[in-house]
Amino acid sequence: MFRDPATLKAIRNTVIWVVVAPALLTGLGLILAVLVEKVRWATAFKLLLFMPMAVSFLAAGIIFRLAYDQDPGKGVLNAAAVSVHDAFSGTSSYPTARARTGGPGGLTRGSDGSYTTEAVRPGSAVAIPMVGVLPKDLPKNAAPAYPASTRGPASGEVSGVVYLDFTPGGAGTPGKVDRRESGLPGMKVEAVSGGTTVASAKTAADGSFHFSGLHTGSFVLRLPASNFAPPYQGISWLGPTLVTPAIIGAYLWIWTGFAMVLIGAGLSTLPRDTLEAARMDGANEWQVFRRITVPLLAPVLTVVFVTLVINVLKVFDLVYIIAPGPVQEDATVLATQMWLVSFGGGNNQGLGSALGVLLLVLVIPAMVFNVRRFKESQR
């Protein structure tokens, strides 16, 4: 059993569960129990927070499998993450745009994904053709690039147009701005001299841009890689790194109400005269909570914590349902590993039996501790 890498990973993940989940649940349950006691409609809040316990683990696993989906169009968490990211960082309008391979235009692709033109001088007009953008994906304000390409630069200016080098129907000449070809608005263009950016501009609706006041000499025009950056797709919640914390988050959603109700029941039995005496002696609410409430609740907190430890040791449903197949091994715990090696394709009944015995051995101390606590409380 201890020579099997997958089993060792299951033991490691089980340790993470035992260390993290019961402590978080007990802490959240305590905080919520104290806060709910101080608000109106406390029963309604308790009902709402306890309601996830009525949802089966199978249904909860499916709910969170969808919530954690990598596609922002399906996963609500990544939809929120993408919305926040795009609100502050913006997004590229042309993630698929590229220069025509081996075609005209004189564009050179850099190692960072940017494109640069050949050297130009003030008084020059430059047409920068791009392909790879579907006409339906063009911004709504995109205008024909042909009129912009016919306007020459003023003295001391460098002007140009960035356009989609594609004519619907297949007509047109590659590398030449045709009448039916569209500009690419919002594209960032930089004038670079000696490796330093000396000016930058954004293309207009027709794809045109202008640089004025440039000193004499030659420049190259660069389309930065940010123009072609793929859209932000959110966080890989169910990747190898975050899959275990993500499943623990689903577990917290289900069991926090349970911890809150039990701790709240213990909170309601506390002697109020002790709390009021502490307040009259000058203790603030934090001191009352830390020095009076928590010590008096210690037996209840211990029972809740140990009960959750026992429950966490045998968690199976959420791990099996939420973790996708490719990362199932990264999220596996003892219960899922026991099932996988015995019935899920491993066909190793001996290893499965050994894991079952190990799970029993790990649960027994917590059960014995709980029984002793109950007997002490009865005495």
Side-chain angles (χ1 to χ4, degrees):
M1 179 172 60
F2 293 106
R3 291 195 302 267
D4 179 34
T7 301
L8 294 176
K9 187 171 288 187
I11 294 173
R12 184 203 67 181
N13 288 339
T14 301
V15 170
I16 293 173
W17 273 84
V18 170
V19 171
V20 174
L24 284 178
L25 277 171
T26 306
L28 284 172
L30 175 61
I31 293 170
L32 289 172
V34 173
L35 293 178
V36 167
E37 198 179 48
K38 298 180 181 298
V39 299
R40 298 180 62 186
W41 308 101
T43 303
F45 279 105
K46 289 180 180 179
L47 178 64
L48 287 174
L49 292 170
F50 191 77
M51 195 172 291
M53 286 293 298
V55 180
S56 70
F57 273 34
L58 173 64
I62 294 173
I63 290 169
F64 275 88
R65 177 71 177 268
L66 294 173
Y68 287 137
D69 197 290
Q70 179 73 39
D71 183 359
K74 299 178 182 177
V76 63
L77 292 179
N78 269 342
V82 168
S83 298
V84 172
H85 175 274
D86 291 349
F88 289 96
S89 298
T91 182
S92 167
S93 300
Y94 309 103
T96 59
R98 66 184 190 280
R100 191 188 298 275
T101 304
L107 291 178
T108 303
R109 181 181 173 85
S111 58
D112 61 349
S114 62
Y115 287 96
T116 55
T117 66
E118 298 173 344
V120 298
R121 291 180 175 276
S124 303
V126 183
I128 304 178
M130 304 297 294
V131 294
V133 181
L134 295 176
K136 67 180 182 65
D137 293 334
L138 287 170
K140 293 182 179 179
N141 65 329
Y146 182 77
S149 66
T150 60
R151 295 194 293 266
S155 177
E157 281 190 351
V158 172
S159 67
V161 60
V162 184
Y163 69 101
L164 179 61
D165 192 17
F166 170 79
T167 303
T173 304
K176 179 182 177 182
V177 182
D178 297 299
R179 291 181 180 274
R180 297 173 59 195
E181 291 178 340
S182 175
L184 297 179
M187 186 81 77
K188 185 177 181 180
V189 186
E190 297 175 341
V192 180
S193 176
T196 302
T197 301
V198 295
S200 64
K202 287 268 189 176
T203 56
D206 57 3
S208 62
F209 61 90
H210 302 273
F211 294 112
S212 59
L214 298 176
H215 62 78
T216 58
S218 61
F219 304 86
V220 295
L221 302 182
R222 178 170 64 194
L223 302 180
S226 58
N227 290 315
F228 318 107
Y232 179 66
Q233 292 296 320
I235 302 167
S236 180
W237 297 104
L238 299 182
T241 304
L242 293 178
V243 63
T244 294
I247 300 173
I248 291 176
Y251 184 86
L252 294 180
W253 178 76
I254 297 173
W255 283 91
T256 298
F258 168 83
M260 178 203 65
V261 168
L262 288 188
I263 296 172
L267 197 62
S268 64
T269 64
L270 293 184
R272 300 296 165 178
D273 53 346
T274 306
L275 303 177
E276 292 302 325
R279 292 189 180 98
M280 291 180 66
D281 286 341
N284 57 37
E285 289 301 318
W286 168 245
Q287 290 172 324
V288 170
F289 174 76
R290 185 165 62 91
R291 297 180 178 272
I292 308 295
T293 303
V294 173
L296 290 176
L297 280 176
V300 176
L301 296 176
T302 302
V303 170
V304 170
F305 182 83
V306 176
T307 303
L308 291 171
V309 168
I310 296 172
N311 187 273
V312 160
L313 281 171
K314 55 193 181 67
V315 67
F316 173 85
D317 316 59
L318 288 178
V319 177
Y320 185 73
I321 295 167
I322 295 178
V327 297
Q328 186 72 244
E329 187 173 318
D330 295 286
T332 187
V333 292
L334 283 175
T336 55
Q337 188 65 15
M338 178 180 66
W339 185 89
L340 288 170
V341 299
S342 300
F343 312 109
N347 297 321
N348 191 339
Q349 298 290 332
L351 179 57
S353 299
L355 289 171
V357 172
L358 175 63
L359 198 55
L360 175 64
V361 169
L362 293 176
V363 170
I364 285 176
M367 294 176 63
V368 170
F369 179 82
N370 242 4
V371 171
R372 287 183 175 177
R373 293 288 303 183
F374 282 128
K375 287 183 178 179
E376 289 176 4
S377 64
Q378 287 176 350
R379 285 198 296 268

